Amino acid sequence: MAQVPASIVTRNISDLAVETGNVYESISIISKRANQIAVKVKEELNSKLAEFATTVDNLEEVFENREQIEISKYYERLPKPTNMAIEEFIEGKVYFRNADDEEQTSSAF
């Protein structure tokens, strides 16, 4: 994965429209990709934390579980899914298609 800034970066909106020709379409594509990334990251985190799941919670176990805390901190430090999606879109790593164009093409036959 390329270096993704963890903080807010000012972007030129017109640069986002280059790929699609429409700023709003680009933003829609980026938001859908960000949702995909967020779901994937959440599933990864939940699967890793599930390894530490216990049926009995007592105070000693909470303080002793440093590995679980480290895993959580790692995921907290990751760039936000929106930043990751914007970087992927700008780098041309996001595949998208326009369903309206496909319908027009198929109805022409």
Side-chain angles (χ1 to χ4, degrees):
M1 176 170 54
Q3 285 289 58
V4 177
S7 61
I8 297 174
V9 175
T10 304
R11 305 262 185 212
N12 186 349
I13 295 288
S14 60
D15 290 345
L16 296 177
V18 171
E19 188 76 26
T20 62
N22 185 330
V23 174
Y24 301 107
E25 185 176 354
S26 296
I27 298 298
S28 176
I29 292 166
I30 291 169
S31 69
K32 290 175 184 176
R33 178 63 184 140
N35 286 337
Q36 291 173 342
I37 293 170
V39 167
K40 179 181 154 195
V41 169
K42 185 171 180 165
E43 287 174 355
E44 285 178 14
L45 175 60
N46 287 338
S47 69
K48 289 182 181 181
L49 292 179
E51 296 173 10
F52 300 102
T54 61
T55 55
V56 178
D57 288 334
N58 63 32
L59 201 52
E60 290 97 27
E61 288 179 358
V62 173
F63 288 114
E64 291 175 359
N65 204 346
R66 295 283 176 216
E67 291 179 33
Q68 185 177 5
I69 293 169
E70 289 302 316
I71 290 171
S72 296
K73 284 183 180 180
Y74 169 77
Y75 279 94
E76 286 175 4
R77 287 189 297 261
L78 286 178
K80 300 295 180 215
T82 305
N83 290 348
M84 294 169 70
I86 291 171
E87 287 299 318
E88 287 180 1
F89 186 80
I90 289 172
E91 293 172 2
K93 296 179 179 178
V94 177
Y95 171 78
F96 60 92
R97 58 189 169 86
N98 192 332
D100 293 337
D101 292 343
E102 290 178 6
E103 288 175 10
Q104 291 173 358
T105 303
S106 63
S107 64
F109 290 106

